[in-house]
């Protein structure tokens, strides 16, 4: 029986879909059988971020309504033997499925996959409720900005009220130079305010834009600092104890780390 | 020199400190579902009740949330002008 993990945030544009794509690709590369579910019905994007937009035949709503079989709707990623995407419907809205239907679907998928990652839509309404319904674990993505942290706090409150497993925090798009100047909240500030366990810290990285342009997750790029951060989170999701990377400028820790990675392989 | 000092020890005017302070306050209201208006009502009700017992300075009257480690407290700072004779001698 696999584990279902929802990636959520409250606020839009903080990196839920990018996080889902990268963790999914990273987990699959590590040998796990992985399914990604795009729960953002009406505003699907996980397909383009994964580079699979041209291969959609059926979607999540087709499966839930019994119009298509799950195995026919799942798109197999060509880069990995064991990575699949269940895309969202683009022409329907969030009310096309219910939390109960999502719970059933995710339960069914957990029997076939090691990890089922669910990309939640922004907001706290039905789309969010659908996305979290079948999840065993929740990852809350937040950037070091007041609006994102405030919305993350709201989401954490809702998750805790549902008595789900304690949510984990992923700090996204942090900038070491701004933290150093005192113009951006740092990791400790955010943990102190949100009071949840930290799963990972992803630095701001131009490679994310480039990799999204190409539809190739940055986790596969050994040169990318964000990719390295995602690889660490993947290892933590598999139960490994990986120390947090120190947040330093380009030439510092990350630079050395990249060199090290280069030598390794 | 001052810059170096500021960098090492952190500046009070650094914008992240402003962000944290604003977040701290807004999250208290979010978490307790108490709007600033509701806080104002609470303050006025407290003022009314306490004024029956003593003469208080309503200008200096402050009610706010405060955080001590993990616990949240409602802290009222109530400057007293004078304690009414009546309440003492009853």
């Amino acid at each position: 029986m696999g584990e279902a993990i929802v990636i959520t945030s409250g606020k839009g544009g903080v990196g839920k879909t990018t996080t889902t794509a990268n963790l999914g690709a990273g987990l699959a590369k590590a040998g796990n059988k992985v399914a990604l579910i795009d729960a953002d019905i009406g505003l699907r994007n996980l397909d383009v971020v994964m580079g699979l937009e041209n291969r959609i035949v059926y979607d999540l709503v087709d499966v839930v309504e019994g119009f298509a079989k799950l195995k026919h709707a799942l798109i197999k990623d060509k880069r990995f033997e064991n990575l699949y995407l269940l895309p969202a419907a683009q022409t329907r809205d969030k009310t096309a499925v219910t939390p109960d239907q999502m719970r059933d679907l995710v339960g069914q998928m957990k029997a076939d996959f090691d990890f089922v990652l669910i990309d939640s839509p922004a907001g706290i309404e039905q789309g969010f409720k659908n996305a979290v319904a079948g999840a065993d674990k929740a990852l809350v993505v937040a950037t070091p900005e007041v609006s994102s942290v405030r919305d993350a706090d709201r989401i954490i409150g809702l998750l805790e009220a549902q008595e789900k497993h304690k949510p984990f925090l992923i700090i996204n798009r942090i900038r070491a130079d701004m933290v150093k100047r005192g113009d951006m909240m740092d990791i400790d500030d955010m943990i102190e305010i949100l009071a949840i366990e930290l799963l990972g810290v992803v630095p701001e990285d131009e490679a994310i834009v480039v990799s999204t342009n190409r539809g190739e997750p940055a986790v596969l790029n050994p040169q990318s600092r964000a990719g390295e951060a995602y690889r660490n989170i993947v290892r933590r999701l598999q139960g490994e104890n990986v120390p947090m990377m120190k947040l330093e400028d380009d030439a510092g820790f990350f630079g050395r780390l990249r060199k090290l990675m280069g030598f390794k392989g | 020199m001052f810059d170096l000092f500021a960098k090492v020890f952190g500046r009070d005017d650094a914008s992240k400190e402003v962000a944290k302070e604003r977040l701290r306050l807004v999250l208290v209201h979010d978490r307790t579902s108490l709007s600033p208006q509701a806080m104002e009502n609470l303050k006025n009700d407290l003022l009314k009740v306490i004024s029956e017992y003593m003469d208080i300075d309503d200008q200096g009257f402050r009610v706010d949330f405060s955080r001590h480690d993990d616990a949240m407290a409602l802290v009222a700072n109530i400057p007293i002008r004078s304690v009414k004779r009546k309440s003492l001698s009853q």
Side-chain angles (χ1 to χ4, degrees):
Chain A
M1 188 61 115
E3 185 177 30
I5 304 173
V6 64
I7 292 89
T8 186
S9 70
K11 187 178 182 299
V14 299
K16 286 179 295 297
T17 302
T18 305
T19 302
T20 308
N22 278 286
L23 297 185
L27 284 165
K29 192 172 184 224
N32 300 284
K33 198 173 177 202
V34 181
L36 310 179
I37 303 177
D38 189 346
D40 200 348
I41 299 168
L43 287 170
R44 74 175 173 214
N45 269 325
L46 189 52
D47 55 335
V48 281
V49 174
M50 293 293 295
L52 300 172
E53 68 275 18
N54 293 327
R55 310 209 357 240
I56 297 177
V57 182
Y58 299 112
D59 58 48
L60 171 63
V61 177
D62 292 327
V63 174
V64 165
E65 291 182 344
F67 183 70
K69 285 210 166 106
L70 176 61
K71 63 177 179 183
H72 294 143
L74 284 169
I75 303 168
K76 191 175 165 316
D77 191 303
K78 282 187 177 139
R79 289 159 292 199
F80 301 102
E81 200 53 34
N82 44 3
L83 179 60
Y84 294 82
L85 168 70
L86 180 58
Q90 184 70 328
T91 55
R92 303 287 292 274
D93 65 54
K94 269 73 178 172
T95 58
V97 295
T98 65
D100 282 341
Q101 288 172 321
M102 283 297 288
R103 202 173 291 118
D104 290 347
L105 175 68
V106 172
Q108 188 189 332
M109 291 173 75
K110 272 164 62 181
D112 290 333
F113 293 92
D114 299 318
F115 288 94
V116 178
L117 304 190
I118 306 151
D119 184 19
S120 161
I124 54 173
E125 295 84 11
Q126 184 163 348
F128 164 73
K129 288 174 188 155
N130 286 339
V132 302
D136 304 306
K137 186 188 269 184
L139 310 186
V140 176
V141 182
T143 59
E145 296 160 281
V146 284
S147 50
S148 173
V149 173
R150 183 192 196 179
D151 290 0
D153 189 80
R154 188 99 164 82
I155 287 289
I156 291 163
L158 291 172
L159 289 168
E160 285 176 347
Q162 290 197 352
E163 292 176 359
K164 290 232 163 273
H165 290 275
K166 226 181 148 204
F168 293 89
L169 177 66
I170 294 179
I171 299 175
N172 199 18
R173 306 191 65 174
I174 196 161
R175 285 181 52 177
D177 56 334
M178 292 191 72
V179 168
K180 215 179 207 172
R181 286 204 303 269
D183 280 331
M184 182 176 269
M185 283 181 277
D186 63 26
I187 298 165
D188 290 339
D189 295 329
M190 290 185 62
I191 295 172
E192 183 198 323
I193 292 169
L194 293 173
I196 64 171
E197 198 176 319
L198 181 68
L199 185 69
V201 180
V202 183
E204 171 88 66
D205 185 357
E206 288 184 4
I208 292 291
V209 179
V210 177
S211 71
T212 307
N213 286 344
R214 298 185 199 281
E216 294 163 357
V219 71
L220 307 176
N221 175 1
Q223 303 300 315
S224 162
R225 301 184 322 160
E228 173 65 15
Y230 284 125
R231 285 190 289 277
N232 284 347
I233 297 173
V234 163
R235 289 170 62 194
R236 290 184 196 113
L237 285 175
Q238 297 177 108
E240 266 185 75
N241 191 358
V242 186
M244 288 290 158
M245 292 193 291
K246 276 225 178 84
L247 196 64
E248 282 182 36
D249 281 332
D250 226 338
F253 185 78
F254 284 111
R256 293 201 299 276
L257 201 67
R258 256 183 297 169
K259 261 190 202 158
L260 204 68
M261 293 300 295
F263 280 126
K264 266 188 189 166
Chain B
M1 189 62 205
F2 175 74
D3 273 355
L4 183 72
F5 192 79
K7 266 183 194 154
V8 174
F9 295 101
R11 319 183 312 250
D12 278 348
D13 67 335
S15 66
K16 81 154 189 181
E17 297 301 332
V18 181
K20 279 169 69 181
E21 185 55 25
R22 292 176 58 222
L23 264 172
R24 195 184 66 78
L25 283 172
V26 84
L27 289 185
V28 165
H29 293 297
D30 286 357
R31 287 175 184 175
T32 55
S33 330
L34 270 181
S35 64
Q37 182 57 53
M39 281 293 285
E40 198 57 32
N41 294 347
L42 168 69
K43 189 181 145 183
N44 289 337
D45 287 350
L46 276 173
L47 197 68
K48 224 185 313 176
V49 173
I50 297 165
S51 298
E52 289 178 22
Y53 297 88
M54 51 195 85
D55 185 13
I56 57 180
D57 171 15
D58 57 359
Q59 293 305 307
F61 187 61
R62 293 273 179 277
V63 178
D64 212 340
F65 290 96
S66 148
R67 236 172 92 152
H68 301 284
D69 301 324
D70 274 352
M72 218 51 171
L74 183 70
V75 177
N77 191 346
I78 314 166
I80 300 170
R81 280 214 195 93
S82 66
V83 179
K84 284 180 183 168
R85 208 164 297 263
K86 202 180 91 190
S87 64
L88 277 177
S89 61
Q90 62 178 190

